[in-house]
Amino acid sequence: MTQPPPARPLHSSQYRALVLGLLLLAYIFNFIDRTILSILGPAIRIELGLTSTRIGMLGGLYFALLYTLLGIPIARLAERHSRVNILTVSLVVWSAFTALCGMAGSFVTLALCRFGVGVGEAGCSPPAHSLISDYFPPHRRASALAIYGLGVPLGMMFGAAAGGWLAQTLGWRWAFVVVGLPGILLAVAFKLLVREPPRGHADQEMALAAGLLVEAPVPPAPWSIGHEAREIGSVVRALFGKWPVLHMALGITLVSFGLYGSGQFAPQYFVAAFGLDLTTVGLIIGLIGGVGAGIGTLAGGFLADRLARRNAAWYALTPAIGLALCTPLYILAYTQANWQVAAALLLLPGLFQYTYLGPTFGVVQNSVDVRRRATATAVLFLFLNLIALGGGPPFTGWVIDQLAGVRFIHADLGGVWSLIGGWLGGRVSDAADFAAACPGGVAPEGSDAGLVTACRTALADGTRGGLIVTFLFYAWASVHYFLAALGMARHLASRT
């Protein structure tokens, strides 16, 4: 069955921009609520007496478990039901649990609230990616998804800047409340302003504009466990059974591992190494780092869409080159003895690192059928976040604890490279002694000056070393994006 061309487009360009803007706002709140724990971490760890490993668990695994496991069933709902309604409910849930984090009185209650944030945020990106794909045609999806992807750097930027100021002014508990509650108002606006588009509308509109007759949208098959399993299996094969898409998935997983791990502990580094207050740290991590990251996110999507007109391999080459360039820049910034120089250098690496977002999500959406797009994002996020979000912060926190233990016991070791080399070479590390002597990374009140200095130096050098180890995952991710370029043009041509 075919359908004739419509008299005019179903959605104006202004309305599409409004929808994309609201989705971007939702994703900004998503990342503010997800990552604000990193800027509040130094205050939380002191008040609750937590190790870096435990802070990493709160920022990573405890959030990621339900976030990733619930992503697929929510995405399957989004393939059949209103994606607008799912996003609205999700916004309310994660915003409310973020506010509740401010009432936590222990590690356990804070962990439970983080589980709740993960439950709500599971319903954000899968339906959002599907909505964007129905509003924007294939040749503009990397650009549109890059604009949506701005939620990552902008959310981190506002979360760090506002979170640091709020923690300094009102305390970390009220900071959670203040950033959580506005998301509920956004949910109301989203529900009132956004309409559910027909499935596959942008693809059909593009084909009809070219004078082609297209198949009418196929309604979803009756629900059954077998059908759902087959649909998920088809998406898994599309993502991991094709060489270019597989390596894009591996690349985004590795860069996210480094991003979540380093992002969790970058504020701790500036506090421990330079004695800065949380407001200043928030400005460094948020505003300075966020500017470069935001430009890089937009540039990656628009540049990839433009270069891909000549050769679709640029969807993979753009992030491959960017990640190869950002790795040494991050290491250079975090080995400076002066925080002003370090902060200035942080303007640069985000320009290159964040080029991966738009091209990767664009390729994923263009590699699956219309009623598998939310599922594709959820399957990718299941793989990505269990490894990256679940493992990145705990891994970096564990490395920091180990290196801090080495520095605390072996104060005679040289710089950060000597410290890392000594740890890898098998030096005895006693992180437990460091945690006992320096609870929360600081000397107990009333300690002598020698212990105060030893605790501060151990935490600063351990955090610097842990971050450098984590930055190496960006270089590893770059290799997979270069591999993804092999066969990318052929793969996307077959999908078209």
Side-chain angles (χ1 to χ4, degrees):
M1 179 180 178
T2 59
Q3 57 187 38
R8 59 184 177 84
L10 183 60
H11 305 292
S12 68
S13 58
Q14 292 85 355
Y15 180 73
R16 294 183 196 209
L18 170 66
V19 172
L20 187 57
L22 288 171
L23 287 170
L24 169 59
L25 275 177
Y27 206 34
I28 289 172
F29 275 100
N30 182 289
F31 259 82
I32 289 175
D33 295 352
R34 182 187 310 188
T35 61
I36 191 173
L37 186 72
S38 65
I39 195 68
L40 304 181
I44 294 172
R45 68 176 290 157
I46 292 173
E47 180 174 330
L48 300 183
L50 305 181
T51 64
S52 293
T53 303
R54 279 200 155 189
I55 290 290
M57 297 293 280
L58 287 171
L61 186 61
Y62 292 161
F63 172 88
L65 278 175
L66 291 180
Y67 174 69
T68 54
L69 294 176
L70 289 177
I72 290 180
I74 291 175
R76 293 308 303 160
L77 285 175
E79 307 292 18
R80 295 172 172 275
H81 303 289
S82 169
R83 293 159 289 185
V84 173
N85 288 343
I86 291 171
L87 267 164
T88 301
V89 173
S90 297
L91 250 171
V92 171
V93 172
W94 89 61
S95 300
F97 271 105
T98 298
L100 287 173
C101 285
M103 302 180 185
S106 68
F107 173 77
V108 173
T109 53
L110 188 53
L112 291 174
C113 290
R114 294 294 292 173
F115 275 122
V117 177
V119 170
E121 295 200 4
C124 181
S125 281
H129 283 197
S130 180
L131 280 172
I132 290 170
S133 295
D134 281 344
Y135 276 111
F136 295 89
H139 64 282
R140 293 181 58 196
R141 275 183 199 143
S143 302
L145 286 164
I147 293 174
Y148 173 76
L150 273 175
V152 177
L154 291 181
M156 290 181 171
M157 180 176 73
F158 291 130
W165 180 81
L166 288 168
Q168 194 78 24
T169 306
L170 303 175
W172 66 268
R173 296 182 181 279
W174 276 105
F176 275 121
V177 175
V178 171
V179 302
L181 293 181
I184 298 175
L185 298 178
L186 176 61
V188 175
F190 188 82
K191 174 61 179 174
L192 293 175
L193 295 174
V194 177
R195 299 190 297 270
E196 183 76 14
R199 302 281 171 164
H201 172 70
D203 302 81
Q204 294 173 0
E205 196 171 69
M206 184 182 71
L208 291 170
L212 302 175
L213 291 177
V214 299
E215 293 291 328
V218 178
W223 188 92
S224 71
I225 294 177
H227 173 74
E228 295 301 303
R230 287 190 294 273
E231 287 293 288
I232 294 171
S234 296
V235 170
V236 170
R237 288 191 295 273
L239 296 184
F240 303 110
K242 302 290 184 181
W243 173 277
V245 191
L246 169 64
H247 283 285
M248 294 285 275
L250 292 173
I252 193 174
T253 299
L254 289 167
V255 69
S256 299
F257 189 97
L259 171 65
Y260 288 126
S262 60
Q264 182 66 53
F265 294 101
Q268 176 175 295
Y269 168 72
F270 280 96
V271 171
F274 303 111
L276 302 179
D277 59 69
L278 291 179
T279 301
T280 304
V281 172
L283 291 174
I284 294 172
I285 302 299
L287 293 181
I288 296 177
V291 168
I295 296 172
T297 300
L298 283 179
F302 283 89
L303 184 63
D305 268 344
R306 177 174 291 275
L307 293 175
R309 296 173 189 172
R310 303 177 184 176
N311 189 331
W314 281 103
Y315 281 124
L317 291 175
T318 301
I321 295 170
L323 290 166
L325 292 174
C326 82
T327 304
L329 290 173
Y330 272 121
I331 294 174
L332 179 64
Y334 280 89
T335 50
Q336 298 302 309
N338 181 285
W339 73 263
Q340 290 93 339
V341 176
L345 288 172
L346 283 178
L347 280 168
L348 300 175
L351 293 171
F352 304 103
Q353 176 194 352
Y354 284 82
T355 53
Y356 75 96
L357 279 169
T360 304
F361 291 133
V363 167
V364 167
Q365 291 294 294
N366 289 338
S367 296
V368 295
D369 296 333
V370 169
R371 286 195 181 270
R372 293 172 179 168
R373 286 171 176 165
T375 307
T377 299
V379 169
L380 177 63
F381 277 19
L382 173 67
F383 177 75
L384 182 160
N385 285 317
L386 278 180
I387 296 173
L389 184 53
F395 169 81
T396 306
W398 176 79
V399 174
I400 289 171
D401 284 339
Q402 300 306 307
L403 291 173
V406 172
R407 169 62 74 212
F408 186 70
I409 297 171
H410 302 282
D412 58 314
L413 284 173
V416 64
W417 296 109
S418 175
L419 178 63
I420 294 173
W423 172 57
L424 294 175
R427 274 188 182 273
V428 176
S429 169
D430 199 340
D433 276 359
F434 171 68
C438 310
V442 297
E445 189 175 348
S447 299
D448 62 78
L451 181 59
V452 171
T453 300
C455 291
R456 184 175 63 248
T457 302
L459 183 62
D461 287 354
T463 305
R464 180 188 288 113
L467 290 172
I468 288 174
V469 170
T470 304
F471 292 142
L472 297 177
F473 282 87
Y474 297 153
W476 185 1
S478 173
V479 173
H480 285 285
Y481 277 106
F482 277 116
L483 292 172
L486 304 176
M488 178 63 74
R490 185 169 59 253
H491 165 69
L492 290 181
S494 70
R495 289 298 307 165
T496 304

